[in-house]
Amino acid sequence: MKELLTALLPEIILAGAACLLFLFGIKASRTLRQAAPVVALLALAASVLCVIYGPQPNPVIAESTGTVRLTDFALYIKLLSGLIAAILLLLQWPTDKEVTGNRSLSLGVDLPEYFALFLLSIAGIFLVAGANDIILLFLGIELAAIPTYVMVSISRPLPVAQEAGLKYFFLGAMAAAILLFGLAYLFGTTGTLSLNEMAGEFHSTGGVVTLTTWQLLAAVMIFLGIAFKLAAFPLHFYAGDVYTGAATPLTAMLSFVPKIAGIAALVKILYVLGGGQWLVPHNLVTLLWIMAILTMTIGNVLGLMQANIKRVMACSSIAHSGYMLAGLAVLAGAGESLYRTEALQGVMFYIAAYGVMNAGLFGVLMMLPAKPDPFAPRVSPGGAGLSPAVPPATTAETFEDIAGLGRDRPAMGLAMTACCFSLIGLPLTVGFFGKYYLIRPALEAGWYGLVIVLVLNAAVSAGYYLRIVGAMFLRTSNGQPQPAACEVPAGECLKTVPLVLAVIISALGSLILGSYLPATSALSDAARRATTVDVPSTASAMAPTDRP
């Protein structure tokens, strides 16, 4: 029991801090609202320190904890999600006078509860990373997702946000039911809840595991349930409406948190279905291959058709899920263990790169004000005359909002450019190495068709990312007056420091991790260590194995 509590200490810290924040919401005073983000950030810092300085993977702890496994894979996912969550928290930091939100986020007195839900969602990722039991795995996946349904609905006082939250909830419930059915069938055909023991039930014949019809059905349902979390084909259609309706900092969270939880869960499922050696049946590999191609293609093609930048980023999120699914397809279908290790390393590197460069783009959008909508109802501010209304708690979301702002605010324009170039995968950015580490094992394994589709899709994605950069530097504002860059008084602009810090970290991270090779190598080495998704038992700890 002591070892189990030690292994779960990061999750306990996050859950305990969330409970404290829920208590803050009872009184909802200004002082408690002001303390809420500080408590959340301290909880994240404490959980990350526990991951770094806590117990490390070894067979004794693996056997004593049972349902939880401390592996290099789990530690990497926890550390990465904790660090990216800190950046996302800075994007959501309240800056208004009454401490109810910021220019993109309007929470009212629900601010402590919002940050409590945020911590619970991150705790869900931690549970998924360390789960060695299908019940704990399912609970972790849903704990990462369910808080976001509420967060979307309360993120800003607009009907579009409540509509998005309702859609997200019902579709999420459907996906959860599909996933649960698949896990139930997997349990029914193996007779065990333990992922480690379940992997031992699948035996390879001719180098590939053979599954029964019911097990294949279970695998397909699990893939579909996780596809919703990834916003991957065929359950990708909700992303545009939900990402647009949610507040901008929450959209940044939605594009990362469910994705990393889904990727971690899918890696564990593929490990189990491959008998603990990634020997996944060919028909499931083909299914992953098809899902990857359709996901990245649909996402990029739809991205070219959007006028709202948040809808563009929803399509971008779909496309990047396709890239990661391509890496998982190579992981499951590559014949040699070296290729499998490199493929999983590529996926782990890419999810880190995506988290860094994606957050910066949304941060820049938050720093750019929305321009008045000439077609919106006209209001009279203080009797000074009628002017077009700007919806509450909104910042830049359309191409018209950012037109010409790159020249007026060059620092923001350069930060946006760095993030967009990285998302394309241009050299000297972390996105370039992310795609390189995905493509290399596919080429070595002979998956030329998948590589061609991936490279073509990366080229297509340049169309809408460069459109964002072009709007900031090449377009004009059509004679509209430029709103002020900071709505708070000059003496209170220090409140925006967390947002500025998040953008700086993301933009510089996108460049440094792609141009400073020691930093790139350090992240690559960490991703390679994360390819160990299980810890051998004490009986086999000294035995040779080719498990990555």
Side-chain angles (χ1 to χ4, degrees):
M1 178 59 70
K2 179 180 179 182
E3 290 81 2
L4 180 60
L5 291 176
T6 303
L8 288 175
L9 185 57
E11 291 88 336
I12 294 173
I13 292 174
L14 293 176
C19 292
L20 178 62
L21 291 176
F22 279 125
L23 292 177
F24 281 10
I26 295 177
K27 188 176 182 181
S29 67
R30 184 180 182 278
T31 302
L32 292 179
R33 290 199 301 271
Q34 200 165 17
V38 178
V39 171
L41 187 60
L42 290 176
L44 283 174
S47 63
V48 168
L49 290 176
C50 286
V51 172
I52 296 174
Y53 297 106
Q56 300 301 304
N58 66 75
V60 176
I61 293 181
E63 290 185 353
S64 61
T65 54
T67 59
V68 176
R69 289 257 171 172
L70 283 178
T71 64
D72 291 319
F73 174 81
L75 295 181
Y76 178 86
I77 294 294
K78 290 181 179 183
L79 182 60
L80 173 62
S81 58
L83 294 176
I84 299 297
I87 299 177
L88 296 175
L89 179 60
L90 294 178
L91 293 180
Q92 300 170 85
W93 202 275
T95 59
D96 61 355
K97 185 176 181 180
E98 295 300 321
V99 196
T100 58
N102 53 43
R103 298 173 62 207
S104 296
L105 194 69
S106 182
L107 300 169
V109 295
D110 296 327
L111 187 138
E113 292 91 338
Y114 179 90
F115 284 106
L117 293 170
F118 176 83
L119 292 181
L120 289 179
S121 187
I122 304 304
I125 303 176
F126 281 39
L127 286 177
V128 172
N132 186 45
D133 181 278
I134 61 174
I135 295 179
L136 188 62
L137 181 69
F138 176 76
L139 292 177
I141 293 172
E142 292 309 307
L143 183 58
I146 290 176
T148 61
Y149 305 155
V150 182
M151 295 169 73
V152 170
S153 298
I154 67 174
S155 60
R156 52 182 182 172
L158 296 174
V160 67
Q162 295 151 18
E163 178 185 351
L166 194 62
K167 289 180 180 177
Y168 196 25
F169 168 73
F170 282 116
L171 292 173
M174 178 196 69
I178 295 174
L179 175 62
L180 187 58
F181 266 109
L183 293 174
Y185 286 164
L186 204 58
F187 163 69
T189 56
T190 59
T192 179
L193 294 171
S194 170
L195 294 175
N196 182 260
E197 295 176 5
M198 195 177 290
E201 294 292 323
F202 297 107
H203 305 287
S204 61
T205 303
V208 177
V209 169
T210 301
L211 301 180
T212 66
T213 302
W214 289 107
Q215 290 168 345
L216 285 174
L217 177 61
V220 170
M221 297 178 77
I222 292 172
F223 286 4
L224 287 176
I226 294 178
F228 178 85
K229 312 301 179 185
L230 301 177
F233 177 87
L235 297 179
H236 63 282
F237 45 82
Y238 72 93
D241 290 341
V242 173
Y243 283 37
T244 305
T248 300
L250 181 56
T251 305
M253 177 183 171
L254 293 178
S255 62
F256 177 77
V257 170
K259 198 178 301 294
I260 190 172
I263 289 294
L266 190 53
V267 167
K268 287 176 174 286
I269 293 298
L270 289 175
Y271 182 81
V272 168
L273 296 175
Q277 297 184 1
W278 309 109
L279 304 176
V280 181
H282 294 309
N283 44 12
L284 293 182
V285 175
T286 302
L287 177 60
L288 276 177
W289 193 87
I290 293 173
M291 288 177 63
I293 289 179
L294 290 177
T295 299
M296 68 177 79
T297 303
I298 290 173
N300 284 319
V301 171
L302 290 178
L304 296 173
M305 305 176 183
Q306 308 303 320
N308 183 290
I309 297 178
K310 288 169 69 174
R311 292 191 79 91
V312 168
M313 295 311 297
C315 298
S316 166
S317 177
I318 296 171
H320 285 280
S321 291
Y323 302 150
M324 285 180 269
L325 284 175
L328 293 182
V330 177
L331 168 68
E336 299 183 20
S337 60
L338 176 61
Y339 303 152
R340 296 195 296 267
T341 301
E342 290 184 350
L344 185 53
Q345 176 190 5
V347 175
M348 293 296 100
F349 187 98
Y350 199 89
I351 191 67
Y354 179 72
V356 172
M357 56 194 179
N358 191 63
L361 189 150
F362 285 104
V364 174
L365 288 180
M366 292 178 60
M367 298 176 70
L368 299 176
K371 295 178 182 178
D373 184 358
F375 302 103
R378 304 178 75 83
V379 298
S380 177
L386 295 178
S387 62
V390 177
T394 56
T395 45
E397 294 189 4
T398 68
F399 288 96
E400 292 298 328
D401 289 338
I402 66 172
L405 294 183
R407 296 193 302 271
D408 298 333
R409 297 159 190 166
M412 298 182 194
L414 291 176
M416 177 70 84
T417 301
C419 294
C420 286
F421 282 3
S422 188
L423 287 163
I424 295 172
L426 295 183
L428 301 182
T429 65
V430 69
F432 170 79
F433 283 100
K435 289 185 172 61
Y436 167 76
Y437 284 121
L438 285 179
I439 291 174
R440 185 180 66 179
L443 279 176
E444 293 174 345
W447 290 53
Y448 303 117
L450 187 61
V451 170
I452 291 173
V453 174
L454 197 156
V455 172
L456 289 176
N457 270 280
V460 171
S461 72
Y464 52 83
Y465 290 126
L466 293 180
R467 185 184 174 196
I468 296 175
V469 177
M472 295 196 72
F473 288 97
L474 303 180
R475 291 182 56 181
T476 62
S477 58
N478 297 325
Q480 294 185 10
Q482 296 294 333
C486 183
E487 291 182 351
V488 296
E492 298 183 17
C493 282
L494 285 176
K495 293 182 179 180
T496 63
V497 167
L499 173 58
V500 175
L501 182 61
V503 173
I504 291 175
I505 292 173
S506 298
L508 290 183
S510 299
L511 296 175
I512 292 174
L513 290 173
S515 57
Y516 184 60
L517 293 183
T520 309
S521 298
L523 179 57
S524 176
D525 292 342
R528 189 172 187 86
R529 289 192 297 271
T531 57
T532 304
V533 300
D534 194 16
V535 178
S537 64
T538 52
S540 59
M542 303 303 296
T545 177
D546 72 337
R547 295 182 182 181

